[in-house]
Amino acid sequence: MLVDFLKEQIFLVIVFIGSFAAFVYLTLQKLSGILEVSPAEATNLINRQDAVIIDVRSFDEFVKGHLPNAKNFPAETFLQDVDKIRELQKDKPLLLYCTSGLRSQRAAKELKKLGFTLLHNLADGINAWINANYPIIKGKK
């Protein structure tokens, strides 16, 4: 009887499973303290909450193009820059990014250990930013 119902309502079953998976993913993300954000959500953080933008790519990658007002703390030397990082305000949102979102996710975990709580990782990194046709700055600024 249950199997017949599931066969007849396969669309509802798929929607339920997808919704449950999304719920679990979002719950785990909130528990980690590091939120994945889209370029649009990142823009909101920057414009409305004055988020500090941290680019964890190498300096060479940074000068080829970065988000406006981004600070460069390369992932390779991230922990060596801990004194500069500690100067950042812990009560301000931090938006971290790299090329695809992996290095910045690791960097965000390190910042969490240092006591930062308002951590955001740009999902899919600067690639998503560029694909959304958002502006980038070239050079050292």
Side-chain angles (χ1 to χ4, degrees):
M1 182 161 208
L2 178 63
V3 173
D4 292 334
F5 172 78
L6 294 176
K7 285 181 185 177
E8 291 173 11
Q9 303 299 328
I10 191 70
F11 179 74
L12 291 176
V13 171
I14 291 170
V15 168
F16 174 77
I17 292 171
S19 298
F20 182 74
F23 171 77
V24 169
Y25 173 76
L26 292 173
T27 301
L28 291 175
Q29 189 179 41
K30 284 182 182 177
L31 291 175
S32 78
I34 303 165
L35 298 177
E36 294 283 321
V37 295
S38 69
E41 292 167 319
T43 301
N44 188 32
L45 280 169
I46 295 164
N47 292 336
R48 295 203 174 143
Q49 297 181 37
D50 199 26
V52 176
I53 309 163
I54 299 176
D55 185 326
V56 300
R57 298 174 303 147
S58 70
F59 180 73
D60 290 340
E61 291 173 296
F62 182 79
V63 295
K64 289 179 184 174
H66 56 272
L67 275 63
N69 301 315
K71 299 176 186 306
N72 185 226
F73 293 107
E76 302 84 42
T77 60
F78 196 74
L79 292 178
Q80 295 169 6
D81 293 326
V82 79
D83 289 334
K84 291 179 189 173
I85 293 167
R86 283 193 176 134
E87 291 175 9
L88 301 174
Q89 296 174 335
K90 290 186 180 182
D91 61 339
K92 271 191 164 184
L94 298 181
L95 172 65
L96 289 90
Y97 74 93
C98 60
T99 303
S100 64
L102 298 176
R103 289 179 283 178
S104 52
Q105 184 67 245
R106 286 192 295 267
K109 288 178 184 176
E110 293 300 325
L111 288 175
K112 185 173 180 177
K113 291 177 188 175
L114 294 174
F116 289 88
T117 56
L118 301 173
L119 299 167
H120 303 84
N121 187 43
L122 181 59
D124 300 320
I126 197 167
N127 290 336
W129 187 268
I130 292 169
N131 289 337
N133 294 316
Y134 284 41
I136 60 169
I137 305 295
K138 293 186 179 188
K140 295 180 185 181
K141 293 185 178 184

